[in-house]
PDB file of all heavy atoms in Angstrom:
ATOM      1  N   TYR K  14     -19.385   1.467  -8.915  1.00 94.00           N
ATOM      2  CA  TYR K  14     -20.134   1.949  -7.707  1.00 94.00           C
ATOM      3  C   TYR K  14     -21.635   2.331  -8.091  1.00 94.00           C
ATOM      4  O   TYR K  14     -21.875   3.057  -9.107  1.00 94.00           O
ATOM      5  CB  TYR K  14     -19.391   3.058  -7.044  1.00 94.00           C
ATOM      6  CG  TYR K  14     -18.145   2.816  -6.467  1.00 94.00           C
ATOM      7  CD1 TYR K  14     -16.953   3.314  -7.145  1.00 94.00           C
ATOM      8  CD2 TYR K  14     -17.895   2.012  -5.374  1.00 94.00           C
ATOM      9  CE1 TYR K  14     -15.767   3.181  -6.552  1.00 94.00           C
ATOM     10  CE2 TYR K  14     -16.678   1.856  -4.846  1.00 94.00           C
ATOM     11  CZ  TYR K  14     -15.457   2.334  -5.523  1.00 94.00           C
ATOM     12  OH  TYR K  14     -14.363   2.061  -4.958  1.00 94.00           O
ATOM     13  N   ILE K  16     -24.701   4.409  -7.124  1.00 88.00           N
ATOM     14  CA  ILE K  16     -25.174   5.575  -6.251  1.00 88.00           C
ATOM     15  C   ILE K  16     -26.592   5.896  -6.611  1.00 88.00           C
ATOM     16  O   ILE K  16     -26.889   6.368  -7.787  1.00 88.00           O
ATOM     17  CB  ILE K  16     -24.305   6.800  -6.455  1.00 88.00           C
ATOM     18  CG1 ILE K  16     -22.785   6.268  -6.321  1.00 88.00           C
ATOM     19  CG2 ILE K  16     -24.552   7.876  -5.468  1.00 88.00           C
ATOM     20  CD1 ILE K  16     -21.844   7.024  -7.252  1.00 88.00           C
ATOM     21  N   LEU K  21     -21.642   4.179 -11.476  1.00 93.00           N
ATOM     22  CA  LEU K  21     -20.304   4.827 -11.800  1.00 93.00           C
ATOM     23  C   LEU K  21     -19.334   3.788 -12.244  1.00 93.00           C
ATOM     24  O   LEU K  21     -18.994   2.991 -11.260  1.00 93.00           O
ATOM     25  CB  LEU K  21     -19.897   5.678 -10.877  1.00 93.00           C
ATOM     26  CG  LEU K  21     -18.533   6.481 -11.077  1.00 93.00           C
ATOM     27  CD1 LEU K  21     -18.771   7.581 -12.154  1.00 93.00           C
ATOM     28  CD2 LEU K  21     -18.122   7.005  -9.761  1.00 93.00           C
ATOM     29  N   VAL K  23     -15.823   2.590 -12.725  1.00 96.00           N
ATOM     30  CA  VAL K  23     -14.650   3.171 -12.328  1.00 96.00           C
ATOM     31  C   VAL K  23     -13.428   2.378 -13.222  1.00 96.00           C
ATOM     32  O   VAL K  23     -12.661   2.969 -13.986  1.00 96.00           O
ATOM     33  CB  VAL K  23     -14.265   3.288 -10.944  1.00 96.00           C
ATOM     34  CG1 VAL K  23     -12.985   3.776 -10.547  1.00 96.00           C
ATOM     35  CG2 VAL K  23     -15.355   3.949 -10.241  1.00 96.00           C
ATOM     36  N   GLU K  42      -5.681  11.236 -13.215  1.00 95.00           N
ATOM     37  CA  GLU K  42      -6.456  12.222 -12.512  1.00 95.00           C
ATOM     38  C   GLU K  42      -7.115  11.901 -11.279  1.00 95.00           C
ATOM     39  O   GLU K  42      -7.437  10.660 -11.037  1.00 95.00           O
ATOM     40  CB  GLU K  42      -7.462  12.843 -13.574  1.00 95.00           C
ATOM     41  CG  GLU K  42      -7.007  13.697 -14.607  1.00 95.00           C
ATOM     42  CD  GLU K  42      -7.995  14.145 -15.693  1.00 95.00           C
ATOM     43  OE1 GLU K  42      -9.153  14.010 -15.333  1.00 95.00           O
ATOM     44  OE2 GLU K  42      -7.539  14.481 -16.808  1.00 95.00           O
ATOM     45  N   SER K  43      -7.463  12.856 -10.584  1.00 93.00           N
ATOM     46  CA  SER K  43      -8.165  12.655  -9.199  1.00 93.00           C
ATOM     47  C   SER K  43      -9.626  11.976  -9.741  1.00 93.00           C
ATOM     48  O   SER K  43     -10.144  12.618 -10.693  1.00 93.00           O
ATOM     49  CB  SER K  43      -8.354  13.894  -8.603  1.00 93.00           C
ATOM     50  OG  SER K  43      -9.138  13.660  -7.283  1.00 93.00           O
ATOM     51  N   GLY K  44      -9.982  10.928  -9.013  1.00 93.00           N
ATOM     52  CA  GLY K  44     -11.360  10.360  -9.396  1.00 93.00           C
ATOM     53  C   GLY K  44     -11.102   9.329 -10.510  1.00 93.00           C
ATOM     54  O   GLY K  44     -12.185   8.702 -10.895  1.00 93.00           O
ATOM     55  N   SER K  45     -10.010   9.147 -11.049  1.00 95.00           N
ATOM     56  CA  SER K  45      -9.885   8.173 -12.103  1.00 95.00           C
ATOM     57  C   SER K  45      -9.898   6.716 -11.641  1.00 95.00           C
ATOM     58  O   SER K  45     -10.009   5.775 -12.532  1.00 95.00           O
ATOM     59  CB  SER K  45      -8.498   8.452 -12.885  1.00 95.00           C
ATOM     60  OG  SER K  45      -7.395   8.356 -12.047  1.00 95.00           O
ATOM     61  N   GLY K  46      -9.771   6.480 -10.325  1.00 95.00           N
ATOM     62  CA  GLY K  46      -9.819   5.143  -9.775  1.00 95.00           C
ATOM     63  C   GLY K  46      -8.610   4.523  -9.355  1.00 95.00           C
ATOM     64  O   GLY K  46      -8.511   3.304  -9.172  1.00 95.00           O
ATOM     65  N   LYS K  47      -7.578   5.248  -9.062  1.00 95.00           N
ATOM     66  CA  LYS K  47      -6.349   4.816  -8.491  1.00 95.00           C
ATOM     67  C   LYS K  47      -6.497   3.998  -7.265  1.00 95.00           C
ATOM     68  O   LYS K  47      -5.961   2.901  -7.021  1.00 95.00           O
ATOM     69  CB  LYS K  47      -5.316   5.972  -8.565  1.00 95.00           C
ATOM     70  CG  LYS K  47      -5.079   6.676  -9.716  1.00 95.00           C
ATOM     71  CD  LYS K  47      -4.173   7.714  -9.628  1.00 95.00           C
ATOM     72  CE  LYS K  47      -4.514   8.819  -8.565  1.00 95.00           C
ATOM     73  NZ  LYS K  47      -5.741   9.551  -8.907  1.00 95.00           N
ATOM     74  N   SER K  48      -7.101   4.717  -6.345  1.00 94.00           N
ATOM     75  CA  SER K  48      -7.239   4.107  -4.990  1.00 94.00           C
ATOM     76  C   SER K  48      -8.101   2.754  -5.146  1.00 94.00           C
ATOM     77  O   SER K  48      -7.908   1.825  -4.536  1.00 94.00           O
ATOM     78  CB  SER K  48      -7.928   4.978  -4.047  1.00 94.00           C
ATOM     79  OG  SER K  48      -7.081   6.086  -3.770  1.00 94.00           O
ATOM     80  N   THR K  49      -9.181   2.932  -5.967  1.00 95.00           N
ATOM     81  CA  THR K  49     -10.036   1.738  -6.095  1.00 95.00           C
ATOM     82  C   THR K  49      -9.226   0.476  -6.721  1.00 95.00           C
ATOM     83  O   THR K  49      -9.288  -0.538  -6.138  1.00 95.00           O
ATOM     84  CB  THR K  49     -11.138   2.145  -7.218  1.00 95.00           C
ATOM     85  OG1 THR K  49     -11.960   3.154  -6.681  1.00 95.00           O
ATOM     86  CG2 THR K  49     -12.099   0.844  -7.435  1.00 95.00           C
ATOM     87  N   GLN K  93      -4.119   6.225   1.709  1.00 79.00           N
ATOM     88  CA  GLN K  93      -3.998   7.637   1.342  1.00 79.00           C
ATOM     89  C   GLN K  93      -4.166   8.483   2.774  1.00 79.00           C
ATOM     90  O   GLN K  93      -3.416   9.488   2.790  1.00 79.00           O
ATOM     91  CB  GLN K  93      -5.074   7.889   0.333  1.00 79.00           C
ATOM     92  CG  GLN K  93      -5.105   9.281  -0.262  1.00 79.00           C
ATOM     93  CD  GLN K  93      -5.950   9.388  -1.516  1.00 79.00           C
ATOM     94  OE1 GLN K  93      -6.633   8.365  -1.924  1.00 79.00           O
ATOM     95  NE2 GLN K  93      -5.926  10.568  -2.111  1.00 79.00           N
ATOM     96  N   GLU K 169      -0.604   7.408  -2.679  1.00 90.00           N
ATOM     97  CA  GLU K 169      -0.065   8.768  -2.555  1.00 90.00           C
ATOM     98  C   GLU K 169       0.662   8.919  -1.143  1.00 90.00           C
ATOM     99  O   GLU K 169       0.320   9.719  -0.382  1.00 90.00           O
ATOM    100  CB  GLU K 169      -1.222   9.739  -2.565  1.00 90.00           C
ATOM    101  CG  GLU K 169      -1.920   9.636  -3.858  1.00 90.00           C
ATOM    102  CD  GLU K 169      -2.943  10.772  -4.108  1.00 90.00           C
ATOM    103  OE1 GLU K 169      -2.650  11.978  -3.776  1.00 90.00           O
ATOM    104  OE2 GLU K 169      -4.065  10.521  -4.740  1.00 90.00           O
ATOM    105  N   HIS K 202       0.413  11.492  -7.710  1.00 91.00           N
ATOM    106  CA  HIS K 202       0.104  12.678  -8.531  1.00 91.00           C
ATOM    107  C   HIS K 202       1.404  13.363  -9.023  1.00 91.00           C
ATOM    108  O   HIS K 202       1.401  14.275  -9.821  1.00 91.00           O
ATOM    109  CB  HIS K 202      -0.698  13.673  -7.802  1.00 91.00           C
ATOM    110  CG  HIS K 202      -2.125  13.349  -7.750  1.00 91.00           C
ATOM    111  ND1 HIS K 202      -3.027  13.264  -8.874  1.00 91.00           N
ATOM    112  CD2 HIS K 202      -2.954  12.900  -6.698  1.00 91.00           C
ATOM    113  CE1 HIS K 202      -4.318  12.989  -8.467  1.00 91.00           C
ATOM    114  NE2 HIS K 202      -4.174  12.529  -7.201  1.00 91.00           N
TER     115      HIS K 202
HETATM  116  N1  LIG F 301     -17.529   3.851  -1.882  1.00 51.70           N
HETATM  117  C1  LIG F 301     -17.737   4.605  -3.116  1.00 51.70           C
HETATM  118  N2  LIG F 301     -19.035   4.763  -3.430  1.00 51.70           N
HETATM  119  C2  LIG F 301     -19.327   5.506  -4.646  1.00 51.70           C
HETATM  120  N3  LIG F 301     -18.431   6.011  -5.400  1.00 51.70           N
HETATM  121  C3  LIG F 301     -17.179   5.898  -5.029  1.00 51.70           C
HETATM  122  C4  LIG F 301     -16.798   5.317  -3.822  1.00 51.70           C
HETATM  123  N4  LIG F 301     -15.395   5.086  -3.683  1.00 51.70           N
HETATM  124  C5  LIG F 301     -14.941   5.886  -4.833  1.00 51.70           C
HETATM  125  N5  LIG F 301     -16.009   6.259  -5.641  1.00 51.70           N
HETATM  126  C6  LIG F 301     -15.846   6.939  -6.910  1.00 51.70           C
HETATM  127  O1  LIG F 301     -15.139   6.348  -7.723  1.00 51.70           O
HETATM  128  C7  LIG F 301     -14.170   7.177  -8.402  1.00 51.70           C
HETATM  129  C8  LIG F 301     -12.751   6.719  -8.232  1.00 51.70           C
HETATM  130  O2  LIG F 301     -12.392   6.978  -6.890  1.00 51.70           O
HETATM  131  P1  LIG F 301     -10.813   6.723  -6.385  1.00 51.70           P
HETATM  132  O3  LIG F 301     -10.873   7.008  -4.940  1.00 51.70           O
HETATM  133  O4  LIG F 301     -10.459   5.363  -6.889  1.00 51.70           O
HETATM  134  O5  LIG F 301     -10.106   7.859  -7.265  1.00 51.70           O
HETATM  135  P2  LIG F 301      -8.575   8.237  -7.204  1.00 51.70           P
HETATM  136  O6  LIG F 301      -7.942   8.102  -8.574  1.00 51.70           O
HETATM  137  O7  LIG F 301      -7.958   7.495  -6.156  1.00 51.70           O
HETATM  138  O8  LIG F 301      -8.714   9.754  -6.788  1.00 51.70           O
HETATM  139  P3  LIG F 301      -7.749  10.689  -5.909  1.00 51.70           P
HETATM  140  O9  LIG F 301      -6.587  10.997  -6.794  1.00 51.70           O
HETATM  141  O10 LIG F 301      -8.602  11.964  -5.675  1.00 51.70           O
HETATM  142  O11 LIG F 301      -7.402   9.928  -4.699  1.00 51.70           O
HETATM  143  C9  LIG F 301     -14.585   8.610  -7.911  1.00 51.70           C
HETATM  144  O12 LIG F 301     -15.320   9.292  -8.879  1.00 51.70           O
HETATM  145  C10 LIG F 301     -15.222   8.337  -6.625  1.00 51.70           C
HETATM  146  O13 LIG F 301     -16.130   9.382  -6.411  1.00 51.70           O
END
Side-chain angles (χ1 to χ4, degrees):
Y14 293 108
I16 309 143
L21 179 70
V23 181
E42 281 176 17
S43 182
S45 60
K47 305 179 298 298
S48 296
T49 303
Q93 191 163 2
E169 298 190 41
H202 279 288

